[in-house]
Amino acid sequence: MTQISVRVDGVTYADDVEPRTLLVNYLREQVGKVGTVVGCDTSNCGACTVLLDGVAVKSCTVLAVQADEAEVTTIEGVAAPDGTLHPLQRAFHELHGLQCGFCTPGMIMASIDLLRDHPDPSETEIREGIEGNLCRCTGYQNIVRAVQHAAGEMSGRARSDGPASDRSASPADVDTAAAPHAVVRA
Amino acid sequence: MIPAPFAYARPTTVDEAVQAIAEGGEDVKVMAGGQSLIPVMRLRLAAPETVVDLGRVAELRGVRDDGDAIVIGAMTTHAQVLADPLVRQHAPLVAAATETVADRQTRHRGTFGGALAHADPAGDLPACALALDAELVVAGLGGRRTVPAAEFFVDYLTTALEEGEILVEVRIPKLPGEWGMHYEKFQRVAQAWSIVAVAAAVRREDGHIAEARIGLTNMGPTPLRATATEAALAGADATVEAVAAAAGHAAEGTSPSSDLNAQADYRQHLAQVLTRRAVLRAAGL
Ligand SMILES: Cc1cc2nc3c(=O)[nH]c(=O)nc-3n(C[C@H](O)[C@H](O)[C@H](O)COP(=O)(O)OP(=O)(O)OC[C@H]3O[C@@H](n4cnc5c(N)ncnc54)[C@H](O)[C@@H]3O)c2cc1C
Ligand code: FES
Ligand code: FES
């Protein structure tokens, strides 16, 4: 056992862990941050993405001992203390950026990391920026819209130049526009 | 799956690291970013007795100017390499290849030294080190030695690192004259490894190609130089036709594998096409 001290979502934890413990298992099983999920066994899916000292990492591919003395932010720590959702959480909700929702915690953490470096990303920059995150449901269209929309909101720009500005669109309308071959009726 | 149990050492200097390896028992693994090692340990393809984590060895991180070369510390992450102005200025080939490695998350943890020491034939950075005639500085209990890139990559996942040695830093000579560089990678989907890729550095002079250096990724168990193409390009006209003719030699002397992604003959075809594209881009044609 090795002693580690990790600050997770603003709270410091001191714990004994086996060196082989993966950060994601430590977060879920010892700290109780079950919002961070595991989607694969091969470091490919990104569902487990958290911020480690401010940058996105796949927490299934980091050992808990490597996070000793570091700061971790999970999806459970991104909303404001009063419960107000992070702009990315809100955008995923409003623009229907999820279906089953399993990839969503990782998508949002990866997008927070992307928007820090690219506050006003192009569609290509978004698609490349989240290439480490796989979604089996949505086809990515609405995920990209949600990230674009949140980027506009976070930088205080009113976006009137693209589909992401259409905040009143119902999810069904948005889906129809995104995937005309699979018409969804409201 | 999680890794099999192991003892964990976290040195803070190169000397301590080398000592920890010596004291770690029969099967010791050095861990850099862990982006190749942890997946392999999770699949239990590796189950070392001791893991020596280089994550706290500060002297192994960062890029510095050393006169006629830039020196990249082994523990410099892919993300740090991408953000570094010295790399952009003197080794844009390394930046171009690093951009294609994995995804943002993996580039935050994975390191330049780890990618070279891992020596995966499909890894993108070994061919760049080879094309740029990099020198690799390694340390062991007996001191330090320098290994040219051409001697570092020995076989599939095998380097000239001896037991107990670690890679410390990589010297990349500054190339005199005006060089253009480009990395052309062919992959099936996002965050995938190269099926084949070509690292090209080209120096033009008076409408001619004065010199070209071409590294091939995944055209054999180690990275290779496309020597026949390099020879054909030396002194050639800087024209699309001359480059295309020279690129036709790119697969000579290669022995690529056949796997689920591609047959060997398809890889040889790709090597020619990608070499043409890479050299044209590097030469500004
Ligand atoms: C999803 C995913 C996609 C990827 N895609 C690509 C890709 O497209 N192209 C690509 O090139 N790579 C890719 N990689 C691999 C990535 O580049 C890794 O960063 C790299 O292969 C290993 O670097 P690391 O620092 O994580 O090393 P580790 O995983 O820590 O170590 C790898 C090996 O090198 C040895 N080692 C590491 N550092 C040293 C040292 N200083 N001295 C001696 N031995 C050392 C270790 O003992 C181990 O055997 C991908 C990885 C993942 C998880
Ligand atoms: S669970 Fe971590 S990448 Fe899939
Ligand atoms: S919403 Fe189901 S995996 Fe993305």
Side-chain angles (χ1 to χ4, degrees):
Chain A
M1 289 284 184
T2 305
Q3 243 235 320
I4 60 169
S5 164
V6 193
R7 199 166 165 80
V8 185
D9 295 337
V11 177
T12 302
Y13 299 83
D15 278 305
D16 287 327
V17 294
E18 263 191 283
R20 64 171 168 161
T21 307
L22 303 172
L23 178 59
V24 69
N25 292 335
Y26 170 71
L27 291 171
R28 287 176 57 83
E29 289 154 28
Q30 269 178 269
V31 184
K33 298 286 180 181
V34 292
T36 302
V37 295
V38 179
C40 74
D41 222 355
T42 54
S43 306
N44 284 102
C45 77
C48 62
T49 301
V50 300
L51 304 186
L52 181 61
D53 283 337
V55 299
V57 302
K58 293 179 175 176
S59 63
C60 72
T61 315
V62 177
L63 301 174
V65 285
Q66 291 179 289
D68 186 19
E69 293 163 20
E71 170 130 22
V72 175
T73 307
T74 77
I75 187 69
E76 297 188 27
V78 300
D82 70 357
T84 306
L85 293 183
H86 186 283
L88 273 160
Q89 290 177 301
R90 214 159 46 235
F92 270 69
H93 177 215
E94 287 175 6
L95 294 178
H96 207 50
L98 61 144
Q99 289 178 25
C100 80
F102 201 80
C103 68
T104 316
M107 284 288 179
I108 289 179
M109 299 316 291
S111 302
I112 290 176
D113 182 70
L114 172 70
L115 294 185
R116 188 196 57 240
D117 282 352
H118 299 276
D120 185 21
S122 65
E123 177 175 339
T124 307
E125 281 172 335
I126 295 173
R127 288 184 183 274
E128 286 178 356
I130 57 173
E131 70 187 325
N133 295 71
L134 303 181
C135 175
R136 300 282 82 162
C137 304
T138 64
Y140 302 96
Q141 293 289 62
N142 290 347
I143 292 176
V144 173
R145 283 161 196 256
V147 176
Q148 256 167 347
H149 181 76
E153 191 163 297
M154 286 163 70
S155 59
R157 282 187 309 276
R159 281 183 164 265
S160 57
D161 55 336
S165 68
D166 193 1
R167 285 195 57 188
S168 62
S170 79
D173 293 341
V174 173
D175 262 0
T176 306
H181 56 279
V183 176
V184 178
R185 296 199 190 285
Chain B
M1 210 157 36
I2 65 168
F6 53 83
Y8 177 70
R10 198 166 68 194
T12 57
T13 65
V14 169
D15 289 346
E16 277 177 28
V18 168
Q19 197 63 42
I21 298 170
E23 292 163 0
E26 282 291 297
D27 186 3
V28 183
K29 273 282 180 197
V30 167
M31 186 165 70
Q35 299 304 288
S36 292
L37 184 58
I38 294 174
V40 164
M41 286 170 57
R42 290 182 65 187
L43 296 170
R44 306 277 172 111
L45 296 173
E49 182 179 343
T50 303
V51 169
V52 176
D53 178 0
L54 300 181
R56 303 286 164 113
V57 184
E59 65 191 286
L60 292 178
R61 270 185 212 276
V63 183
R64 66 173 201 273
D65 194 329
D66 193 31
D68 58 357
I70 63 167
V71 181
I72 305 180
M75 286 297 293
T76 311
T77 64
H78 298 313
Q80 287 163 342
V81 164
L82 280 176
D84 192 273
L86 286 171
V87 174
R88 292 251 165 224
Q89 189 185 344
H90 298 290
L93 182 60
V94 170
T98 302
E99 252 167 33
T100 74
V101 169
D103 48 65
R104 287 176 66 84
Q105 291 97 317
T106 306
R107 291 194 296 268
H108 281 141
R109 301 290 301 168
T111 65
F112 187 66
L116 298 181
H118 192 52
D120 191 307
D124 294 298
L125 297 166
C128 298
L130 188 66
L132 296 174
D133 286 335
E135 295 179 323
L136 295 94
V137 179
V138 307
L141 276 182
R144 295 191 179 198
R145 65 193 178 99
T146 299
V147 185
E151 291 166 23
F152 186 76
F153 303 103
V154 174
D155 201 351
Y156 178 77
L157 301 182
T158 307
T159 67
L161 282 168
E162 308 253 345
E163 211 164 295
E165 282 185 328
I166 64 166
L167 177 59
V168 172
E169 60 191 21
V170 182
R171 291 176 56 84
I172 301 182
K174 293 180 186 168
L175 294 173
E178 289 291 311
W179 288 79
M181 302 187 191
H182 184 70
Y183 191 70
E184 185 77 22
K185 171 167 172 172
F186 187 81
Q187 69 204 123
R188 215 158 37 83
V189 290
Q191 64 159 330
W193 296 75
S194 287
I195 293 175
V196 173
V198 176
V202 175
R203 181 163 67 85
R204 279 181 66 171
E205 218 172 59
D206 312 327
H208 284 81
I209 291 173
E211 196 183 345
R213 299 167 171 212
I214 299 161
L216 304 174
T217 297
N218 219 7
M219 287 300 291
T222 65
L224 297 169
R225 288 281 283 263
T227 42
T229 298
E230 291 181 356
L233 284 171
D237 291 338
T239 61
V240 174
E241 296 71 32
V243 170
H249 300 288
E252 284 174 18
T254 63
S255 53
S257 60
S258 290
D259 57 31
L260 281 177
N261 287 315
Q263 297 292 315
D265 59 346
Y266 178 54
R267 284 203 159 89
Q268 294 193 317
H269 169 72
L270 276 177
Q272 299 174 31
V273 173
L274 301 176
T275 297
R276 173 169 51 79
R277 290 184 193 160
V279 172
L280 287 175
R281 283 288 296 277
L285 287 169

